[in-house]
Every structure is written in C-alpha cells, then in structure tokens.
Amino acid sequence: MIVTLKEAKKYLRVDHNDDDTIIRKFIKAAETLCEGTLRKPVEPLPINKVAALFAVAYLYEHRENADMDELTRMLRYILATEREVAF
C-alpha cells in the first residue's frame, strides 16, 4: 500500500474514526485504479502517491455518485509521465 490510512485521513481532513473502513476500501480501490492507469504495479513514487490520494478523495467526496470515467481521465492526466505504452 503506498497510501496509509493516516495519510489519507490527513489529506481528507477527517479527524474521526467513523469512516475508517470505507476510507481503507477507497485506498485499495484507488491503488487498483492507479495500477490500471499506469499499466504496471504502483511504485512508491511521489506522483503515484498524489494520484492515489486524489482518487481516494474523489471517491470519498463522491461516494454517492462517482463518475468513474471522469476519475479515470483525471488519473491518466496525473500519471501520464509514468504510464506504460501498453501492458
């Protein structure tokens, strides 16, 4: 995991434990999305951490109506320099 629960909660400005379970799920989903976008395993590079935190925040803020196409598009922009040409 390149993003810890503590890092994600700090980024989200969440100071309670009520949403820990869902934030952990969003971290896993974000890292999976980043791996799919990168077309390779996520490495602990700063840009990958930024992308994962962005995805966690997007999923957390839009948990009722997340637009996965929009999120994937934004991750492609963020990760463009690290993205593999093909699988």
Side-chain angles (χ1 to χ4, degrees):
M1 218 189 282
I2 64 168
V3 174
T4 66
L5 177 62
K6 184 178 178 179
E7 290 171 318
K9 287 176 70 172
K10 182 178 178 182
Y11 187 80
L12 296 169
R13 296 184 180 139
V14 172
D15 59 0
H16 55 80
N17 298 329
D18 299 346
D19 291 341
D20 285 5
T21 300
I22 196 163
I23 293 171
R24 280 189 190 98
K25 290 179 182 183
F26 288 153
I27 291 169
K28 288 179 185 175
E31 291 185 0
T32 299
L33 285 166
C34 287
E35 285 183 350
T37 301
L38 287 168
R39 300 177 175 156
K40 62 181 179 181
V42 176
E43 298 173 26
L45 300 173
I47 191 69
N48 295 347
K49 186 169 275 206
V50 167
L53 286 169
F54 173 84
V56 169
Y58 183 91
L59 292 168
Y60 185 76
E61 294 297 322
H62 297 92
R63 56 186 166 253
E64 298 295 325
N65 59 350
D67 182 342
M68 298 308 287
D69 289 332
E70 178 183 15
L71 176 55
T72 302
R73 195 170 36 255
M74 292 304 297
L75 289 175
R76 284 186 187 146
Y77 294 134
I78 294 168
L79 297 169
T81 59
E82 295 297 319
R83 191 169 189 230
E84 293 290 327
V85 176
F87 286 102

